[in-house]
């Protein structure tokens, strides 16, 4: 008898009880040596003969079946044999040879990957279907099952055996029309193994993420909005959903937004009393279930050092501190570390009975007010919001700027604008970036004026122009780069700052860097993106050449790369890429080609075709 047994996806205790029992009684085991965790072979009995199938052909494997046809033989496959297990030809041989066989299922790696991510593929209101597939490689894929065609459905997707071709995967997904560049994605390396690695990203950063993490094989690629922040509650457990044992109750449907706690790099939670500690553990579980990075410390030995941890970031991200205890204790301990509302963490205090949730620091820009409302809703507490604009229900310019992805270059001016709004005074606004109707400012008493008379200046230049004006920098510019191979990072850094000076564009106005795919592993570009936390996106020559426009062309560049203008076409492509999914968008060149030492820069932004006059 031959048993095809699924060994599970990595951890040795994920083999089924039935599979373990059969493995223990096996006299012959042929195992997938390059795929399974070999520690699982400890379940075999003494005297069992082992064969590593990674060194065998199909004929050699079937020869073992034939030689030991009267013995208990286990064919040990990774994950579950039904997925990419190549068992069909083995079973057909056994059938023709008259050798009986059975299949024992196992835990597939696509299940292990979801468990590692604490995710559900079939999330109500998001996706109720899962596509399991692979990219065509040495093993072909039917044309009707090409990745781009399957991805057009936009449902949850798990991609096997394709990590080494991840740039192609990214391209196929983006041209499918089923996803956007911002669609959540993840690379799960060796799911459930001890050296498991989880890399969350978006589709447009898949290739870059794999490169930065050094992942080229033994990983799954997961794609879909099931990893996003919003979903609907299951109807199965809804109060208004009747079952055979439970009548329905009329209620209002619920949606939750998991994105609020996920905005923070880390959420630090602590409590000093036993009652507070129970609440801390409960809250940690609630936030962890959203995917937030949460660290709970009960009764820390050094409370001051614990608070200080929350204030330490890389300057680009922000933490949250949730202290369950007296507000006075928190105020005294955070005082030495307070620096700026632009970087300080969101600090919240909850009483030990969980009755009130109070944001103490960074209510607007830091997100403490929204986080307090979220936590209060989760634990059935009362959010105590003291910010004047929130109490009055008026426009908060710092919150508005943050929601519209703008950098505040002089946060000291926020107070002046907020005071004027609270006193119902007129606010004068100047913008050289957007059409007036695009701003959609929820404050009636405003007028648009010249920069010299403005209270608020919205400009990509970052220049204050007027001393007491609040300066907002839109974060919407795409940098196109063309460069020599292996150019020094210091040259790129110096040239970029010079480019900003030459064009009048602030470095804070950029959010993405684009280039030809020949530069996907260019160290200098990757370091520039890492330093400024820009996204990095590359395109094939075909994609760049498809962009329509009047570009600065070079025959030499065309001969080397197949594209007549790398920097300008890359900047434009960054705006319109996947245009079949986003048909309302095109591009506007903000800066044409600038040449420096061995590299060229250009800048563009995405605009709505409804506002081409802008």
């Amino acid at each position: 008898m031959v048993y095809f047994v699924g060994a599970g996806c990595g951890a040795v205790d994920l083999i089924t009880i039935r599979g373990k029992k059969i493995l223990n009684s096996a006299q012959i085991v042929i195992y997938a040596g390059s795929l399974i965790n070999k520690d699982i072979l400890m379940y075999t009995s003494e005297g069992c003969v082992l064969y590593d199938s990674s060194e065998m052909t199909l004929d050699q494997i079937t020869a073992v079946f034939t030689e030991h046809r009267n013995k208990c033989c286990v064919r040990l496959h990774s994950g579950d044999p039904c997925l990419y297990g190549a068992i069909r030809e083995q079973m057909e041989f056994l059938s023709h040879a008259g050798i009986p066989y059975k299949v024992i299922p196992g835990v597939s790696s696509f299940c292990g990957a979801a468990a590692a991510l604490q995710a559900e593929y079939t999330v109500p209101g998001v996706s109720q279907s899962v596509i399991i597939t692979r990219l065509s490689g040495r093993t072909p894929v039917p044309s009707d099952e090409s990745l781009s065609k399957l991805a057009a459905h936009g449902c949850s997707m798990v991609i096997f055996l394709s990590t080494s071709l991840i740039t192609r995967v990214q391209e196929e997904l983006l041209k499918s029309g089923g996803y956007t560049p911002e669609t959540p994605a993840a690379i799960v390396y060796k799911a459930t193994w001890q050296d498991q690695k989880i890399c969350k990203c978006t589709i447009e950063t898949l290739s870059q993420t794999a490169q930065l993490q050094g992942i080229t094989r033994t990983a799954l690629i997961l794609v879909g909005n099931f990893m996003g922040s919003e979903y609907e509650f299951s109807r199965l457990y809804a109060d208004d959903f009747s079952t055979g044992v439970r009548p329905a109750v009329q209620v209002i449907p619920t949606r939750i937004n998991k994105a609020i706690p996920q905005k923070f790099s880390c959420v630090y939670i602590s409590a000093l009393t036993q009652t507070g500690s129970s609440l801390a553990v409960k809250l940690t579980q609630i936030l962890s279930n959203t995917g937030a990075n949460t660290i709970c410390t009960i009764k820390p030995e050094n409370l001051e050092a614990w608070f200080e941890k929350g204030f330490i970031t890389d300057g680009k991200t922000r933490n949250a501190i949730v202290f369950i205890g007296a507000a006075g204790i928190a105020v005294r301990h955070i005082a030495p570390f307070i620096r700026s509302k632009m970087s300080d963490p969101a600090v919240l205090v909850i009483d030990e009975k969980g009755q009130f949730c109070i944001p103490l620091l960074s209510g607007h820009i830091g997100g403490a007010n929204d986080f307090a409302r979220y936590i209060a809703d989760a634990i059935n507490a009362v959010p105590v919001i003291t910010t004047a604009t929130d109490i009055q229900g008026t426009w908060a310019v710092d919150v508005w700027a943050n929601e519209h992805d703008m950098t505040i270059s002089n946060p000291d001016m926020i107070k002046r604008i907020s005071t004027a709004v609270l006193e119902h005074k007129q606010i004068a606004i100047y913008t050289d970036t957007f059409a007036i109707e695009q701003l959609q400012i929820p404050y009636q008493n405003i007028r648009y004026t010249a920069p010299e008379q403005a209270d608020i200046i919205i400009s990509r230049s970052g220049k204050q122009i007027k001393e007491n004006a609040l300066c907002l920098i839109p974060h919407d510019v795409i940098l196109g780069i063309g460069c020599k191979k292996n150019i020094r990072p210091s040259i790129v850094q110096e040239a970029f700052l010079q480019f900003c000076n030459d064009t009048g564009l602030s470095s804070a106005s950029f959010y993405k860097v684009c280039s030809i795919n020949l530069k996907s592993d260019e160290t200098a570009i990757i370091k520039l993106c890492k330093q400024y936390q820009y996204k990095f996106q590359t395109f094939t020559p075909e994609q760049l050449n498809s962009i329509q426009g009047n570009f600065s062309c070079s025959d030499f560049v065309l001969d080397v790369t197949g594209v007549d203008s790398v920097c300008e076409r890359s900047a434009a492509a960054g705006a319109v890429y996947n245009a079949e999914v986003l048909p309302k968008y095109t591009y506007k060149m903000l800066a044409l080609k600038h040449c420096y030492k061995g590299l060229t820069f250009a800048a563009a932004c995405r605009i709505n075709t409804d506002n081409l006059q802008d």
Side-chain angles (χ1 to χ4, degrees), residues 20 76 92 94 153 174 219 235 238 246 281 329 338 351 388 409-410 428 495 543 552 584:
K20 179 183 175 182
L76 190 62
E92 287 193 359
L94 294 171
H153 294 284
L174 286 174
R235 299 293 302 136
R246 188 187 73 233
V281 172
I329 296 175
I338 297 175
D351 66 286
S409 65
N410 53 343
Q543 289 170 325
S552 305
K584 293 178 65 177

mmCIF file with all atom_site columns, all heavy atoms in Angstrom, residues 20 76 92 94 153 174 219 235 238 246 281 329 338 351 388 409-410 428 495 543 552 584:
data_model
loop_
_atom_site.group_PDB
_atom_site.id
_atom_site.type_symbol
_atom_site.label_atom_id
_atom_site.label_alt_id
_atom_site.label_comp_id
_atom_site.label_asym_id
_atom_site.label_entity_id
_atom_site.label_seq_id
_atom_site.pdbx_PDB_ins_code
_atom_site.Cartn_x
_atom_site.Cartn_y
_atom_site.Cartn_z
_atom_site.occupancy
_atom_site.B_iso_or_equiv
_atom_site.pdbx_formal_charge
_atom_site.auth_seq_id
_atom_site.auth_comp_id
_atom_site.auth_asym_id
_atom_site.auth_atom_id
_atom_site.pdbx_PDB_model_num
ATOM 1   N N   . LYS A 1 20  ? 0.636   11.411 10.752  1.00 0.00 ? 20  LYS A N   1
ATOM 2   C CA  . LYS A 1 20  ? 1.699   11.045 11.686  1.00 0.00 ? 20  LYS A CA  1
ATOM 3   C C   . LYS A 1 20  ? 1.642   9.560  12.022  1.00 0.00 ? 20  LYS A C   1
ATOM 4   O O   . LYS A 1 20  ? 2.675   8.874  12.088  1.00 0.00 ? 20  LYS A O   1
ATOM 5   C CB  . LYS A 1 20  ? 1.576   11.886 12.959  1.00 0.00 ? 20  LYS A CB  1
ATOM 6   C CG  . LYS A 1 20  ? 2.613   11.565 14.020  1.00 0.00 ? 20  LYS A CG  1
ATOM 7   C CD  . LYS A 1 20  ? 2.377   12.405 15.278  1.00 0.00 ? 20  LYS A CD  1
ATOM 8   C CE  . LYS A 1 20  ? 3.328   12.001 16.386  1.00 0.00 ? 20  LYS A CE  1
ATOM 9   N NZ  . LYS A 1 20  ? 3.074   12.767 17.630  1.00 0.00 ? 20  LYS A NZ  1
ATOM 10  N N   . LEU A 1 76  ? 5.913   11.168 0.980   1.00 0.00 ? 76  LEU A N   1
ATOM 11  C CA  . LEU A 1 76  ? 5.723   12.332 1.838   1.00 0.00 ? 76  LEU A CA  1
ATOM 12  C C   . LEU A 1 76  ? 5.945   13.621 1.038   1.00 0.00 ? 76  LEU A C   1
ATOM 13  O O   . LEU A 1 76  ? 7.054   13.922 0.615   1.00 0.00 ? 76  LEU A O   1
ATOM 14  C CB  . LEU A 1 76  ? 6.691   12.266 3.022   1.00 0.00 ? 76  LEU A CB  1
ATOM 15  C CG  . LEU A 1 76  ? 6.483   13.266 4.161   1.00 0.00 ? 76  LEU A CG  1
ATOM 16  C CD1 . LEU A 1 76  ? 5.109   13.064 4.811   1.00 0.00 ? 76  LEU A CD1 1
ATOM 17  C CD2 . LEU A 1 76  ? 7.587   13.128 5.198   1.00 0.00 ? 76  LEU A CD2 1
ATOM 18  N N   . GLU A 1 92  ? -1.450  7.373  -11.313 1.00 0.00 ? 92  GLU A N   1
ATOM 19  C CA  . GLU A 1 92  ? -1.798  6.624  -12.519 1.00 0.00 ? 92  GLU A CA  1
ATOM 20  C C   . GLU A 1 92  ? -0.879  5.410  -12.702 1.00 0.00 ? 92  GLU A C   1
ATOM 21  O O   . GLU A 1 92  ? -1.316  4.340  -13.127 1.00 0.00 ? 92  GLU A O   1
ATOM 22  C CB  . GLU A 1 92  ? -1.728  7.543  -13.738 1.00 0.00 ? 92  GLU A CB  1
ATOM 23  C CG  . GLU A 1 92  ? -2.881  8.532  -13.793 1.00 0.00 ? 92  GLU A CG  1
ATOM 24  C CD  . GLU A 1 92  ? -2.986  9.214  -15.137 1.00 0.00 ? 92  GLU A CD  1
ATOM 25  O OE1 . GLU A 1 92  ? -2.147  8.937  -16.014 1.00 0.00 ? 92  GLU A OE1 1
ATOM 26  O OE2 . GLU A 1 92  ? -3.920  10.024 -15.315 1.00 0.00 ? 92  GLU A OE2 1
ATOM 27  N N   . LEU A 1 94  ? 0.503   3.738  -10.241 1.00 0.00 ? 94  LEU A N   1
ATOM 28  C CA  . LEU A 1 94  ? 0.076   2.750  -9.251  1.00 0.00 ? 94  LEU A CA  1
ATOM 29  C C   . LEU A 1 94  ? -1.196  2.041  -9.705  1.00 0.00 ? 94  LEU A C   1
ATOM 30  O O   . LEU A 1 94  ? -1.351  0.830  -9.500  1.00 0.00 ? 94  LEU A O   1
ATOM 31  C CB  . LEU A 1 94  ? -0.132  3.434  -7.900  1.00 0.00 ? 94  LEU A CB  1
ATOM 32  C CG  . LEU A 1 94  ? 1.132   4.004  -7.244  1.00 0.00 ? 94  LEU A CG  1
ATOM 33  C CD1 . LEU A 1 94  ? 0.773   4.844  -6.016  1.00 0.00 ? 94  LEU A CD1 1
ATOM 34  C CD2 . LEU A 1 94  ? 2.086   2.885  -6.836  1.00 0.00 ? 94  LEU A CD2 1
ATOM 35  N N   . HIS A 1 153 ? -10.084 39.457 -11.947 1.00 0.00 ? 153 HIS A N   1
ATOM 36  C CA  . HIS A 1 153 ? -11.240 39.278 -11.054 1.00 0.00 ? 153 HIS A CA  1
ATOM 37  C C   . HIS A 1 153 ? -11.117 40.133 -9.795  1.00 0.00 ? 153 HIS A C   1
ATOM 38  O O   . HIS A 1 153 ? -12.125 40.438 -9.149  1.00 0.00 ? 153 HIS A O   1
ATOM 39  C CB  . HIS A 1 153 ? -11.384 37.810 -10.662 1.00 0.00 ? 153 HIS A CB  1
ATOM 40  C CG  . HIS A 1 153 ? -11.725 36.914 -11.818 1.00 0.00 ? 153 HIS A CG  1
ATOM 41  N ND1 . HIS A 1 153 ? -12.971 36.835 -12.365 1.00 0.00 ? 153 HIS A ND1 1
ATOM 42  C CD2 . HIS A 1 153 ? -10.955 36.058 -12.538 1.00 0.00 ? 153 HIS A CD2 1
ATOM 43  C CE1 . HIS A 1 153 ? -12.982 35.974 -13.368 1.00 0.00 ? 153 HIS A CE1 1
ATOM 44  N NE2 . HIS A 1 153 ? -11.758 35.489 -13.500 1.00 0.00 ? 153 HIS A NE2 1
ATOM 45  N N   . LEU A 1 174 ? -0.438  44.307 -12.261 1.00 0.00 ? 174 LEU A N   1
ATOM 46  C CA  . LEU A 1 174 ? -0.796  45.700 -12.498 1.00 0.00 ? 174 LEU A CA  1
ATOM 47  C C   . LEU A 1 174 ? -1.488  45.922 -13.838 1.00 0.00 ? 174 LEU A C   1
ATOM 48  O O   . LEU A 1 174 ? -2.300  46.836 -13.978 1.00 0.00 ? 174 LEU A O   1
ATOM 49  C CB  . LEU A 1 174 ? 0.463   46.577 -12.406 1.00 0.00 ? 174 LEU A CB  1
ATOM 50  C CG  . LEU A 1 174 ? 0.986   46.799 -10.985 1.00 0.00 ? 174 LEU A CG  1
ATOM 51  C CD1 . LEU A 1 174 ? 2.300   47.554 -11.002 1.00 0.00 ? 174 LEU A CD1 1
ATOM 52  C CD2 . LEU A 1 174 ? -0.041  47.557 -10.146 1.00 0.00 ? 174 LEU A CD2 1
ATOM 53  N N   . ALA A 1 219 ? 8.738   31.045 -1.093  1.00 0.00 ? 219 ALA A N   1
ATOM 54  C CA  . ALA A 1 219 ? 7.822   32.033 -0.529  1.00 0.00 ? 219 ALA A CA  1
ATOM 55  C C   . ALA A 1 219 ? 6.539   32.075 -1.349  1.00 0.00 ? 219 ALA A C   1
ATOM 56  O O   . ALA A 1 219 ? 6.523   31.730 -2.534  1.00 0.00 ? 219 ALA A O   1
ATOM 57  C CB  . ALA A 1 219 ? 8.468   33.413 -0.506  1.00 0.00 ? 219 ALA A CB  1
ATOM 58  N N   . ARG A 1 235 ? -22.234 37.769 8.211   1.00 0.00 ? 235 ARG A N   1
ATOM 59  C CA  . ARG A 1 235 ? -23.665 37.642 8.412   1.00 0.00 ? 235 ARG A CA  1
ATOM 60  C C   . ARG A 1 235 ? -23.982 36.449 9.310   1.00 0.00 ? 235 ARG A C   1
ATOM 61  O O   . ARG A 1 235 ? -25.018 36.416 9.972   1.00 0.00 ? 235 ARG A O   1
ATOM 62  C CB  . ARG A 1 235 ? -24.370 37.454 7.059   1.00 0.00 ? 235 ARG A CB  1
ATOM 63  C CG  . ARG A 1 235 ? -24.189 38.607 6.092   1.00 0.00 ? 235 ARG A CG  1
ATOM 64  C CD  . ARG A 1 235 ? -24.872 39.875 6.574   1.00 0.00 ? 235 ARG A CD  1
ATOM 65  N NE  . ARG A 1 235 ? -26.288 39.666 6.785   1.00 0.00 ? 235 ARG A NE  1
ATOM 66  C CZ  . ARG A 1 235 ? -26.955 40.120 7.838   1.00 0.00 ? 235 ARG A CZ  1
ATOM 67  N NH1 . ARG A 1 235 ? -26.324 40.800 8.779   1.00 0.00 ? 235 ARG A NH1 1
ATOM 68  N NH2 . ARG A 1 235 ? -28.233 39.894 7.961   1.00 0.00 ? 235 ARG A NH2 1
ATOM 69  N N   . ALA A 1 238 ? -24.354 37.705 12.786  1.00 0.00 ? 238 ALA A N   1
ATOM 70  C CA  . ALA A 1 238 ? -25.071 38.964 12.942  1.00 0.00 ? 238 ALA A CA  1
ATOM 71  C C   . ALA A 1 238 ? -26.354 38.757 13.750  1.00 0.00 ? 238 ALA A C   1
ATOM 72  O O   . ALA A 1 238 ? -27.024 37.723 13.632  1.00 0.00 ? 238 ALA A O   1
ATOM 73  C CB  . ALA A 1 238 ? -25.407 39.554 11.576  1.00 0.00 ? 238 ALA A CB  1
ATOM 74  N N   . ARG A 1 246 ? -31.460 30.251 16.521  1.00 0.00 ? 246 ARG A N   1
ATOM 75  C CA  . ARG A 1 246 ? -31.414 31.626 17.029  1.00 0.00 ? 246 ARG A CA  1
ATOM 76  C C   . ARG A 1 246 ? -32.253 32.537 16.151  1.00 0.00 ? 246 ARG A C   1
ATOM 77  O O   . ARG A 1 246 ? -32.034 32.616 14.938  1.00 0.00 ? 246 ARG A O   1
ATOM 78  C CB  . ARG A 1 246 ? -29.971 32.121 17.045  1.00 0.00 ? 246 ARG A CB  1
ATOM 79  C CG  . ARG A 1 246 ? -29.803 33.476 17.742  1.00 0.00 ? 246 ARG A CG  1
ATOM 80  C CD  . ARG A 1 246 ? -28.379 34.008 17.589  1.00 0.00 ? 246 ARG A CD  1
ATOM 81  N NE  . ARG A 1 246 ? -28.110 34.472 16.237  1.00 0.00 ? 246 ARG A NE  1
ATOM 82  C CZ  . ARG A 1 246 ? -27.102 34.081 15.491  1.00 0.00 ? 246 ARG A CZ  1
ATOM 83  N NH1 . ARG A 1 246 ? -26.265 33.178 15.959  1.00 0.00 ? 246 ARG A NH1 1
ATOM 84  N NH2 . ARG A 1 246 ? -26.924 34.560 14.267  1.00 0.00 ? 246 ARG A NH2 1
ATOM 85  N N   . VAL A 1 281 ? -4.267  43.745 28.674  1.00 0.00 ? 281 VAL A N   1
ATOM 86  C CA  . VAL A 1 281 ? -4.193  42.500 27.909  1.00 0.00 ? 281 VAL A CA  1
ATOM 87  C C   . VAL A 1 281 ? -5.345  42.425 26.915  1.00 0.00 ? 281 VAL A C   1
ATOM 88  O O   . VAL A 1 281 ? -5.170  42.043 25.742  1.00 0.00 ? 281 VAL A O   1
ATOM 89  C CB  . VAL A 1 281 ? -4.210  41.281 28.849  1.00 0.00 ? 281 VAL A CB  1
ATOM 90  C CG1 . VAL A 1 281 ? -4.334  39.985 28.056  1.00 0.00 ? 281 VAL A CG1 1
ATOM 91  C CG2 . VAL A 1 281 ? -2.946  41.253 29.698  1.00 0.00 ? 281 VAL A CG2 1
ATOM 92  N N   . ILE A 1 329 ? 0.349   60.707 36.359  1.00 0.00 ? 329 ILE A N   1
ATOM 93  C CA  . ILE A 1 329 ? 1.567   59.898 36.221  1.00 0.00 ? 329 ILE A CA  1
ATOM 94  C C   . ILE A 1 329 ? 2.089   59.988 34.794  1.00 0.00 ? 329 ILE A C   1
ATOM 95  O O   . ILE A 1 329 ? 3.291   60.175 34.561  1.00 0.00 ? 329 ILE A O   1
ATOM 96  C CB  . ILE A 1 329 ? 1.290   58.426 36.596  1.00 0.00 ? 329 ILE A CB  1
ATOM 97  C CG1 . ILE A 1 329 ? 0.898   58.312 38.071  1.00 0.00 ? 329 ILE A CG1 1
ATOM 98  C CG2 . ILE A 1 329 ? 2.488   57.548 36.279  1.00 0.00 ? 329 ILE A CG2 1
ATOM 99  C CD1 . ILE A 1 329 ? 0.501   56.920 38.494  1.00 0.00 ? 329 ILE A CD1 1
ATOM 100 N N   . ILE A 1 338 ? 8.845   65.467 25.317  1.00 0.00 ? 338 ILE A N   1
ATOM 101 C CA  . ILE A 1 338 ? 8.026   66.182 24.344  1.00 0.00 ? 338 ILE A CA  1
ATOM 102 C C   . ILE A 1 338 ? 8.889   67.130 23.520  1.00 0.00 ? 338 ILE A C   1
ATOM 103 O O   . ILE A 1 338 ? 9.656   67.921 24.072  1.00 0.00 ? 338 ILE A O   1
ATOM 104 C CB  . ILE A 1 338 ? 6.894   66.959 25.046  1.00 0.00 ? 338 ILE A CB  1
ATOM 105 C CG1 . ILE A 1 338 ? 5.942   65.982 25.762  1.00 0.00 ? 338 ILE A CG1 1
ATOM 106 C CG2 . ILE A 1 338 ? 6.127   67.811 24.044  1.00 0.00 ? 338 ILE A CG2 1
ATOM 107 C CD1 . ILE A 1 338 ? 4.864   66.678 26.583  1.00 0.00 ? 338 ILE A CD1 1
ATOM 108 N N   . ASP A 1 351 ? -8.490  55.116 32.361  1.00 0.00 ? 351 ASP A N   1
ATOM 109 C CA  . ASP A 1 351 ? -8.578  54.733 33.775  1.00 0.00 ? 351 ASP A CA  1
ATOM 110 C C   . ASP A 1 351 ? -8.666  53.217 33.883  1.00 0.00 ? 351 ASP A C   1
ATOM 111 O O   . ASP A 1 351 ? -9.063  52.536 32.938  1.00 0.00 ? 351 ASP A O   1
ATOM 112 C CB  . ASP A 1 351 ? -9.797  55.387 34.429  1.00 0.00 ? 351 ASP A CB  1
ATOM 113 C CG  . ASP A 1 351 ? -11.105 54.872 33.848  1.00 0.00 ? 351 ASP A CG  1
ATOM 114 O OD1 . ASP A 1 351 ? -11.438 55.260 32.703  1.00 0.00 ? 351 ASP A OD1 1
ATOM 115 O OD2 . ASP A 1 351 ? -11.764 54.055 34.507  1.00 0.00 ? 351 ASP A OD2 1
ATOM 116 N N   . ALA A 1 388 ? -9.991  72.152 20.977  1.00 0.00 ? 388 ALA A N   1
ATOM 117 C CA  . ALA A 1 388 ? -11.040 73.154 20.764  1.00 0.00 ? 388 ALA A CA  1
ATOM 118 C C   . ALA A 1 388 ? -11.784 72.945 19.452  1.00 0.00 ? 388 ALA A C   1
ATOM 119 O O   . ALA A 1 388 ? -13.021 73.015 19.412  1.00 0.00 ? 388 ALA A O   1
ATOM 120 C CB  . ALA A 1 388 ? -10.436 74.558 20.812  1.00 0.00 ? 388 ALA A CB  1
ATOM 121 N N   . SER A 1 409 ? 5.204   72.572 6.911   1.00 0.00 ? 409 SER A N   1
ATOM 122 C CA  . SER A 1 409 ? 6.612   72.938 7.061   1.00 0.00 ? 409 SER A CA  1
ATOM 123 C C   . SER A 1 409 ? 6.874   73.824 8.276   1.00 0.00 ? 409 SER A C   1
ATOM 124 O O   . SER A 1 409 ? 7.989   73.864 8.784   1.00 0.00 ? 409 SER A O   1
ATOM 125 C CB  . SER A 1 409 ? 7.112   73.647 5.790   1.00 0.00 ? 409 SER A CB  1
ATOM 126 O OG  . SER A 1 409 ? 6.445   74.881 5.618   1.00 0.00 ? 409 SER A OG  1
ATOM 127 N N   . ASN A 1 410 ? 5.858   74.548 8.745   1.00 0.00 ? 410 ASN A N   1
ATOM 128 C CA  . ASN A 1 410 ? 6.030   75.417 9.923   1.00 0.00 ? 410 ASN A CA  1
ATOM 129 C C   . ASN A 1 410 ? 4.861   75.229 10.883  1.00 0.00 ? 410 ASN A C   1
ATOM 130 O O   . ASN A 1 410 ? 3.949   76.060 10.945  1.00 0.00 ? 410 ASN A O   1
ATOM 131 C CB  . ASN A 1 410 ? 6.163   76.885 9.497   1.00 0.00 ? 410 ASN A CB  1
ATOM 132 C CG  . ASN A 1 410 ? 5.027   77.351 8.599   1.00 0.00 ? 410 ASN A CG  1
ATOM 133 O OD1 . ASN A 1 410 ? 4.294   76.533 8.033   1.00 0.00 ? 410 ASN A OD1 1
ATOM 134 N ND2 . ASN A 1 410 ? 4.859   78.659 8.482   1.00 0.00 ? 410 ASN A ND2 1
ATOM 135 N N   . ALA A 1 428 ? -7.367  83.677 4.356   1.00 0.00 ? 428 ALA A N   1
ATOM 136 C CA  . ALA A 1 428 ? -6.919  83.901 2.978   1.00 0.00 ? 428 ALA A CA  1
ATOM 137 C C   . ALA A 1 428 ? -5.970  82.771 2.576   1.00 0.00 ? 428 ALA A C   1
ATOM 138 O O   . ALA A 1 428 ? -5.019  82.455 3.294   1.00 0.00 ? 428 ALA A O   1
ATOM 139 C CB  . ALA A 1 428 ? -6.209  85.242 2.869   1.00 0.00 ? 428 ALA A CB  1
ATOM 140 N N   . ALA A 1 495 ? 23.071  65.421 -6.264  1.00 0.00 ? 495 ALA A N   1
ATOM 141 C CA  . ALA A 1 495 ? 22.359  65.862 -7.462  1.00 0.00 ? 495 ALA A CA  1
ATOM 142 C C   . ALA A 1 495 ? 20.876  66.083 -7.174  1.00 0.00 ? 495 ALA A C   1
ATOM 143 O O   . ALA A 1 495 ? 20.255  67.013 -7.717  1.00 0.00 ? 495 ALA A O   1
ATOM 144 C CB  . ALA A 1 495 ? 22.546  64.842 -8.583  1.00 0.00 ? 495 ALA A CB  1
ATOM 145 N N   . GLN A 1 543 ? 6.603   49.604 -21.585 1.00 0.00 ? 543 GLN A N   1
ATOM 146 C CA  . GLN A 1 543 ? 5.690   50.464 -20.831 1.00 0.00 ? 543 GLN A CA  1
ATOM 147 C C   . GLN A 1 543 ? 6.085   51.934 -20.966 1.00 0.00 ? 543 GLN A C   1
ATOM 148 O O   . GLN A 1 543 ? 5.230   52.806 -21.130 1.00 0.00 ? 543 GLN A O   1
ATOM 149 C CB  . GLN A 1 543 ? 5.686   50.050 -19.362 1.00 0.00 ? 543 GLN A CB  1
ATOM 150 C CG  . GLN A 1 543 ? 5.005   48.717 -19.113 1.00 0.00 ? 543 GLN A CG  1
ATOM 151 C CD  . GLN A 1 543 ? 5.221   48.219 -17.702 1.00 0.00 ? 543 GLN A CD  1
ATOM 152 O OE1 . GLN A 1 543 ? 6.285   48.423 -17.108 1.00 0.00 ? 543 GLN A OE1 1
ATOM 153 N NE2 . GLN A 1 543 ? 4.228   47.548 -17.146 1.00 0.00 ? 543 GLN A NE2 1
ATOM 154 N N   . SER A 1 552 ? 12.393  64.914 -24.126 1.00 0.00 ? 552 SER A N   1
ATOM 155 C CA  . SER A 1 552 ? 13.763  65.194 -24.552 1.00 0.00 ? 552 SER A CA  1
ATOM 156 C C   . SER A 1 552 ? 14.425  63.863 -24.892 1.00 0.00 ? 552 SER A C   1
ATOM 157 O O   . SER A 1 552 ? 14.690  63.055 -23.993 1.00 0.00 ? 552 SER A O   1
ATOM 158 C CB  . SER A 1 552 ? 14.531  65.898 -23.436 1.00 0.00 ? 552 SER A CB  1
ATOM 159 O OG  . SER A 1 552 ? 13.856  67.064 -23.021 1.00 0.00 ? 552 SER A OG  1
ATOM 160 N N   . LYS A 1 584 ? -9.191  57.996 -15.404 1.00 0.00 ? 584 LYS A N   1
ATOM 161 C CA  . LYS A 1 584 ? -9.406  59.418 -15.206 1.00 0.00 ? 584 LYS A CA  1
ATOM 162 C C   . LYS A 1 584 ? -8.097  60.184 -15.014 1.00 0.00 ? 584 LYS A C   1
ATOM 163 O O   . LYS A 1 584 ? -8.098  61.402 -14.905 1.00 0.00 ? 584 LYS A O   1
ATOM 164 C CB  . LYS A 1 584 ? -10.307 59.643 -13.989 1.00 0.00 ? 584 LYS A CB  1
ATOM 165 C CG  . LYS A 1 584 ? -11.733 59.150 -14.150 1.00 0.00 ? 584 LYS A CG  1
ATOM 166 C CD  . LYS A 1 584 ? -12.533 59.368 -12.894 1.00 0.00 ? 584 LYS A CD  1
ATOM 167 C CE  . LYS A 1 584 ? -12.697 60.846 -12.590 1.00 0.00 ? 584 LYS A CE  1
ATOM 168 N NZ  . LYS A 1 584 ? -13.546 61.068 -11.412 1.00 0.00 ? 584 LYS A NZ  1
#
